[in-house]
Amino acid sequence: MRVILNKDLLPLGEEGDVKDVAKGYARNYLFPRGIALPYTERNIKLFESRREEIELRKVQKRGDAAGLKEKLEGLVLEITMPAGPNGKLYGAVTSQTIMDELTKLGFKIERKKIDLPGNSVKNVGKFKATVKLYENASAELSFTVIGQEIKIETRKAPPPRPARRRRDEQESTQEAADTAVAEIPEMEVPPEIQAAAQEAEEESSDSSLGEE
């Protein structure tokens, strides 16, 4: 289906461009949002009457792109990321990371316009990215990735217990053992054994008197 773009829609085209698209895409997305109009005689005449106005806007966009290119290529962009001692990042620098850093500096650049070789950076160092601007214009953005080393704390061994505390614990353990022994009930001696023992004691006593 042929349509005329009413607004810029990258990468499809710019305002005033005539494009062939799928019917469903046109009816469900482009037409409801006012991004495009059907390619009809009436709409063709409408855009022909706006041709000069559209061309003036394109000239303005080219000028803005040239100014943005100069600013980006003169920029000193530093990105700090957590990294290990060997310079390897805990994570990665992506086009989203660069977009966020540029936003902090006041630049409004879409993530999809930032082309990063290899799609990501995983080490500290100096790198370059390409930022697509208007039409075929682009800027070469230089940035430096700085590693921020993360210190891992090790657990300290508990201090040794004082000697007095160990001695108190040993005495407490001994007292507990003595108490347990004291609580053991005495065994009863059978009556016949008690009688035999008493008889042997009396005989021993009589023998001692006879010797005297």
Side-chain angles (χ1 to χ4, degrees), residues 173-191:
T173 303
Q174 185 61 43
E175 290 178 0
D178 294 342
T179 302
V181 172
E183 291 179 353
I184 299 176
E186 296 183 356
M187 296 181 59
E188 292 186 1
V189 181

Side-chain angles (χ1 to χ4, degrees), residues 197-212:
Q198 185 175 0
E199 183 178 350
E201 185 179 351
E202 289 176 353
E203 290 178 356
S204 175
S205 178
D206 291 342
S207 176
S208 298
L209 290 175
E211 291 176 357
E212 292 179 356

